[in-house]
Amino acid sequence: MNIFLLLCVILLAGFEAEALSYDHSASIECLAHPQKPQYNGGIIKNPELNDGLQGWTAFGNARIEHRESLGNKYVVANNRNQPHDSVAQKIYLQNGLHYSLSAWIQVSEANVLVTAMVKTTEGFKFGGAIYAEPNCWSMLKGGLTADATEVAELYFESNNTSVEIWIDNISLQPFTKKQWTSHQEQNIEKTRKKNVVVQALDEQGRPLPNARISITMKRYGFPFGSAMNKYILSNTAYHYWFASRFTVTAFENEMKWYTNEYTQGKDNYFEADVMLRYAKKHGIAVRGHNIFWEDPQYQPSWVPSLSADQLNNAVEKRINSVVSRYKDQLIGWDVINENLHSSFFESKLGQNFTSRMFNEVHNVDGNTTLFMNDYNTIEDSRDGLSTPPKYIQKIREIQSWNKQLPLGIGLESHFPNFPPNLPYMRASLDILAATGLPIWITELDVASQPNQAGYLEQVLREAHSHPGIRGIVMWTAWSPQGCFRMCLTDNNFKNLPTGDVVDKLIYEWGRKILSGTTDKNGFLKASLFHGDYKMEISHSAKKNYTFTHQLQVLSKDKSKKTTQFIQISI
């Protein structure tokens, strides 16, 4: 074992030096042939099953077989009487490392949930899950972080014991935390920033060396913000604190049905209207949250007693009221809230309720992105109701009605009180990004516990660095009675540790002032976050007169150029 440990240390040192890139690719289609294993299988032995069953053993009381079809070799677990009866491989985990997991799965019949699990000395870790099908291969992608250095077992299970589980092209790739951070930094440079080249010229158009240039961001290009509520309307300190930081918001309760129509037939939009005016005044974009909420306990008090026909009429009135009122004023609508966990409307008005509502909202407000919005898709892998495959199933159901709908993926991201599973979070985002739809973090917070601020920083960094994420809204609206789960300030608007994290990241993501001096050819090169900037240029030959120039650094979505070039005469 000591020789084995020494070998692992040597391998890890070399592996660290290579700074292995992370593979964001994911397939959400069921394919006739599985794709090659990511990272050539990582630490998995015989990942493509080309060497028979070498490295693989039965788990539980399953019988395993090595099979070949159309030149492809794989392992099959059959004769299964318990969910865990399957196929397994012993793996060596190292404490603190992040592990990216992937495999290709097929089942003998039906559409069946298959889960990757890791058995450790302390219990079981969830690795990922996929709804597998017969006659084609589906990609399972997930991940985990090791809590100890030990020998563990990776296996695949399903509650449906009547099916065979077919497994191929498995991969388990370790990354150090340093490498994980490096991936984030690489993504930020590629996705959130752009190279900018400024050339200073004199009146005759000649390069001006030794010109001093400072660059100050005035507004972020990446939408980052927090929810807010009616208390912002009467609190000047809250006004200033909020507007000086954030570029996007959602209203905590003021656009919800139970607020807008507390009494049937009497609409109330006063608070929402004033909050929207405040947001517009300060250049803060607003997400519409929400039109309908599937959870029975969050309906207007008069709604549950309605007959099906009365409920349908109330639903139509709700759409025509709130969507028409705020048409073309919002950057997104949360059309159906938490419909993977609850089904109040679907149970009363039919399974097509969700698809019908998305179409009707689009017919009223055709230019606004329409979101599902749910929790535990990326934050807590123990919840099987809203996994990425479940989310995508519901999206496809909506698209089956109208493939042209401008859909978006809303991820609430209410993280629990234990360390975030960053590999699972990243893999889940990879899967969702494979849909090609914009992904927003819509209600991010972390449960209260001693390391709340530290966990918040981890998930904010992970979300901001992922290329599929288009914006982040935290669920941190302040009220005198306290926040939902996480506050950023105290009642005097002095930052709490969580607020310090937010300010640190805002500074890091572009608010710090950059300065430098042009070279002999008048050039200054910088890598800048997308956003609006003020440039100040001065030179001793100009008696240190300061020339000001406005600069907008566009994302690649709006400008295909990888480098932005600016010439300025002073």
Side-chain angles (χ1 to χ4, degrees), residues 92-137:
Y92 183 73
L93 299 179
Q94 296 187 67
N95 186 28
L97 294 192
H98 296 317
Y99 289 82
S100 178
L101 169 68
S102 62
W104 288 84
I105 310 293
Q106 187 173 161
V107 289
S108 55
E109 60 185 64
N111 183 287
V112 176
L113 182 66
V114 177
T115 303
M117 300 293 295
V118 174
K119 182 182 179 182
T120 70
T121 54
E122 296 296 322
F124 297 86
K125 281 184 169 290
F126 176 92
I130 187 66
Y131 280 87
E133 302 177 34
N135 304 316
C136 60
W137 294 90

Side-chain angles (χ1 to χ4, degrees), residues 67-97:
R67 294 184 190 171
E68 181 175 347
S69 176
L70 301 175
N72 181 53
K73 299 175 182 178
Y74 52 95
V75 61
V76 174
N78 53 30
N79 194 37
R80 301 175 54 249
N81 296 309
Q82 300 294 327
H84 63 264
D85 289 342
S86 182
V87 60
Q89 181 168 132
K90 291 189 183 300
I91 54 175
Y92 183 73
L93 299 179
Q94 296 187 67
N95 186 28
L97 294 192

Side-chain angles (χ1 to χ4, degrees), residues 227-248:
M228 67 181 182
N229 55 39
K230 62 184 179 182
Y231 294 105
I232 203 167
L233 302 177
S234 57
N235 191 310
T236 304
Y238 191 4
H239 267 236
Y240 174 78
W241 185 91
F242 196 96
S244 65
R245 287 166 171 79
F246 302 129
T247 60
V248 64

Side-chain angles (χ1 to χ4, degrees), residues 39-53:
Y39 315 105
N40 295 315
I43 63 172
I44 295 295
K45 301 173 186 174
N46 190 20
E48 299 183 59
L49 281 304
N50 289 332
D51 296 322
L53 292 176

Side-chain angles (χ1 to χ4, degrees), residues 370-372 391-392 395 407-411 432-433 435 437-442:
L370 308 181
F371 289 82
M372 281 174 48
Y391 202 116
I392 291 172
I395 286 286
L407 299 181
I409 293 173
L411 305 173
L432 295 168
T435 63
L437 300 176
I439 305 171
W440 275 69
I441 305 297
T442 59

Side-chain angles (χ1 to χ4, degrees), residues 551-566:
L551 168 66
Q552 186 177 38
V553 179
L554 299 174
S555 68
K556 291 174 185 174
D557 290 343
K558 299 177 181 177
S559 170
K560 299 299 181 182
K561 296 179 180 178
T562 57
T563 300
Q564 207 164 320
F565 181 71
I566 303 128

Side-chain angles (χ1 to χ4, degrees), residues 392-430:
I392 291 172
Q393 279 186 345
K394 198 67 175 179
I395 286 286
R396 285 174 167 167
E397 181 183 309
I398 297 168
Q399 289 175 323
S400 68
W401 273 57
N402 183 353
K403 294 187 182 299
Q404 304 306 314
L405 288 174
L407 299 181
I409 293 173
L411 305 173
E412 293 185 12
S413 308
H414 296 294
F415 283 83
N417 61 358
F418 48 80
N421 184 346
L422 298 182
Y424 178 77
M425 177 181 175
R426 186 180 289 185
S428 297
L429 291 172
D430 292 343

Side-chain angles (χ1 to χ4, degrees), residues 444-472:
L444 190 149
D445 60 18
V446 176
S448 178
Q449 38 75 38
N451 198 26
Q452 185 183 44
Y455 294 163
L456 174 65
E457 181 171 352
Q458 289 181 38
V459 297
L460 280 174
R461 288 188 182 279
E462 188 64 44
H464 178 254
S465 67
H466 196 281
I469 297 294
R470 301 295 181 87
I472 298 173

